[in-house]
Amino acid sequence: MTDITNILIVGVGGQGTILASRVLAGAVQMTGQDVKVSEIHGMAQRGGSVVTQVRYGKEVASPIIPEGEADIILAFEKLEALRWLPYLKKDGSILINDQRIDPMPVVVGTAQYPSDILDIIKKECKEVLIINGLGKAIEAGNAKTVNVALLGLLARCLKIDKETWLDVIRETVPTKLLEVNLKAFEEGWNSFDR
């Protein structure tokens, strides 16, 4: 039995996955745990896949999550959720932003975006939480706060005090965007009761 928690954050370039991983890592550090983060940017600037691996516990040696070992996958986009599904533990949870962002092969017409992604994931996973992250961000006042709305949902699944999350957001987000990001976090937090 390991005391390490593995969280995989996946999305596409421009969605704010890197900021989300930094807030998560900051919240974990404030609890006194060891945390390791690995970021893979890929073709992020062109809407390509962005993956962040966050591992934390008493002592963490490596930042890399082995396939089939993620306790939670936080997916900022549906196709990315499906793409990284093999990394989820059999009894793990997957949190999905119900948003479609077409990858380049779909945009240029050489591939089709699967229409049954959520159905496939629901058949494979024990716990699937779906959130309209974009809708929550718009309700908060800015569509670009999807990442922080999704963090609000993730926070409900972790044993880290809500105030800790809010403190890290205050330290991480630029002052001019702070209020809207705090609202987005609340929207995500209130979208699910655990």
Side-chain angles (χ1 to χ4, degrees):
M1 219 30 145
T2 179
D3 66 341
I4 296 174
T5 300
N6 298 308
I7 300 176
L8 194 65
I9 300 175
V10 300
V12 298
Q15 286 192 290
T17 57
I18 302 300
L19 176 67
S21 67
R22 290 183 182 148
V23 172
L24 170 58
V28 169
Q29 283 180 323
M30 287 184 77
T31 67
Q33 298 180 77
D34 187 23
V35 62
K36 299 283 189 288
V37 179
S38 173
E39 300 169 355
I40 302 169
H41 300 268
M43 294 293 286
Q45 292 180 323
R46 296 200 170 109
S49 190
V50 179
V51 181
T52 305
Q53 300 178 42
V54 180
R55 304 184 76 217
Y56 64 89
K58 186 177 179 182
E59 186 177 336
V60 180
S62 168
I64 305 301
I65 300 171
E67 192 167 324
E69 292 298 318
D71 297 290
I72 298 173
I73 294 177
L74 177 60
F76 281 41
E77 196 276 337
K78 294 186 292 189
L79 188 57
E80 292 301 314
L82 183 61
R83 181 187 325 260
W84 292 95
L85 194 58
Y87 279 79
L88 189 65
K89 283 183 177 178
K90 291 201 184 297
D91 60 345
S93 302
I94 185 162
L95 318 178
I96 305 170
N97 179 23
D98 189 12
Q99 186 174 0
R100 171 181 169 163
I101 299 175
D102 290 346
M104 196 52 66
V106 172
V107 171
V108 298
T110 59
Q112 289 189 346
Y113 194 98
S115 60
D116 57 348
I117 290 174
L118 295 178
D119 293 332
I120 293 168
I121 292 171
K122 287 176 184 176
K123 287 178 188 172
E124 295 290 321
C125 300
K126 184 178 179 181
E127 184 174 41
V128 180
L129 303 176
I130 301 167
I131 182 175
N132 178 353
L134 181 58
K136 297 293 180 187
I138 291 169
E139 285 176 38
N142 187 329
K144 292 184 178 182
T145 61
V146 170
N147 57 344
V148 181
L150 295 174
L151 272 178
L153 176 63
L154 175 65
R156 291 303 291 262
C157 299
L158 301 177
K159 295 174 181 165
I160 300 173
D161 183 70
K162 182 180 179 183
E163 277 306 312
T164 300
W165 289 95
L166 295 174
D167 287 345
V168 175
I169 291 169
R170 288 182 190 105
E171 292 173 7
T172 309
V173 173
T175 306
K176 66 181 182 177
L177 302 172
L178 181 57
E179 204 55 44
V180 72
N181 276 280
L182 291 173
K183 287 179 186 174
F185 181 86
E186 289 290 341
E187 288 289 337
W189 177 274
N190 293 326
S191 68
F192 177 67
D193 190 19
R194 188 169 216 173

